[in-house]
Amino acid sequence: EGGGDMATSGAGDPEALCCPGAGGLALLGLAPGAPSCPHGPALLFVKTSPGKEEGRRFYACSACRDRRDCNFFQWEDEKVSETRLAAREEYNRSHQPSFTHRQNVERYNNFILLPLSKRRFCQECQQLLLPAEWENHSDHQFLCDISTAQLETPSQLLYPLENKKTNAQYLFADRSCQFLLDLITALGFRRVLSVGTPRLHEMIQSKASQEDFRIRSLLLDIDFRYSQFYKEDEFCHYNMFNHYFFGGEAARETCRKFLHQDSGERVIMVTDPPFGGLVGALSSSFKKLMAMWKETEKGVYNNNQEMPMFWIFPYFFESRILEFFPSFSMMDYQVDYDNHALYKHGKTGRRQSPVRIFTNLTPSMIVLPVEEGYRFCAMCQRYVSSGNQHCEICNSCTSKDGRRWKHCVLCKKCVKPSWFHCSKCNCCTLPNHSCEEAGAGCFVCGKAGHKRSTCPSLSRS
Ligand code: SAH
Ligand code: ZN
Ligand code: ZN
Ligand code: ZN
Ligand code: ZN
């Protein structure tokens, strides 16, 4: 098997863990009247400690899991003085981007009028520079001769914010991006709500300039650098953990309008959130976007339908996603990335990516490329990985990671090939597990089997 690594190791796979947590953090969600940080309304959490019945509730930044990015914190029952409230408001104001989206659009319009020799991009500030601004950036590294092609592919001009847990920007490999777009096109969609998928958005945008390509895209992303390249009806500064539009009612209206399907133009939402993301928070935002889509449908048609969606996420979150979206199913397609060592299609052979597509569309409609080894299972009525064998007992193609899984009669289900049935634990697990370990929960997610440093809910790698 080409590189077991990430996709198959026990650590980082919450499904490998069978025992409920003994303490940790739980998300309660968006609460009415929640205080705000520069990233919009904070989320309410509860911190539980082993042995104590009731946990203590607190608010924390919805977007940043790294305290260095945003250290907003407030106990729910904390009294906040008027002066502190005022200071907080001032702080939130001063932490907004220095240019508004409108100003950035205007700057772009001026930028494209410049001759190539005067088109500079400051790599330190991640900003297109107008000649009058050169002086202020004189000791910064910059790129020259920024071409139209470069302006059309901002995801390659901007550096990915991958070091930050907050953004976790992992860009689709061209092959995966092209696959998604081909699939969307083949399914007959004409509009794509791109939530945290700047590379898919830019692929659509640059094709939109070609004559016979009719698909439109609106990008919702927390990365404001993209506002330098897109107009106000092409990009909204948005936080997908609290459904917050930084541009206020006008931006919300842009999104609402975009979701309105006139003349039968079908919409699909595609999202690829940071994997450290809290599934509960993401789900509640996505439900709000779905409701927005539905609202505009009033009295038109398909009233009892859901907005079609592709949610791109690792397979080990399957049960979490299905909890919130029971109509979804997971596709076997392995999504590859450019700037992620573990999830990309290597030079020497294929590394297994654990990232999949979850969708509420009928699985049989999601045609996976046969030349990449996917095949159609007539019994399951969906495309599966070549290694994914149909289990007669489960009556399903049960593999999650692309390898052939084996059926355990005691567990009454298929399990990873490397697992064995432990009679002490009474379940299938890794051969080298120690039975006593079970029960000692991870500090962060409360689940057993791993420690805080390797908690799958914190980071992708
Ligand atoms: N594979 C995608 C990128 C996914 S990386 C592509 O190639 O297009 C995750 C994306 O989500 C990044 O663009 C990041 O800026 C965005 N993001 C991270 N946190 C977010 C938040 N709280 N709200 C909205 N977008 C966010
Ligand atoms: Zn600069
Ligand atoms: Zn089975
Ligand atoms: Zn166990
Ligand atoms: Zn078993």
Side-chain angles (χ1 to χ4, degrees), residues 39 43 60-66 165-167 222 239 241-242:
H39 307 93
L43 294 178
C61 174
S62 59
C64 306
R65 280 163 308 285
D66 191 331
K165 278 181 195 152
T166 304
N167 288 71
I222 204 165
N239 182 349
F241 290 113
N242 57 4

Side-chain angles (χ1 to χ4, degrees), residues 4-15:
D5 56 73
M6 180 59 206
T8 51
S9 67
D13 180 346
E15 283 203 335

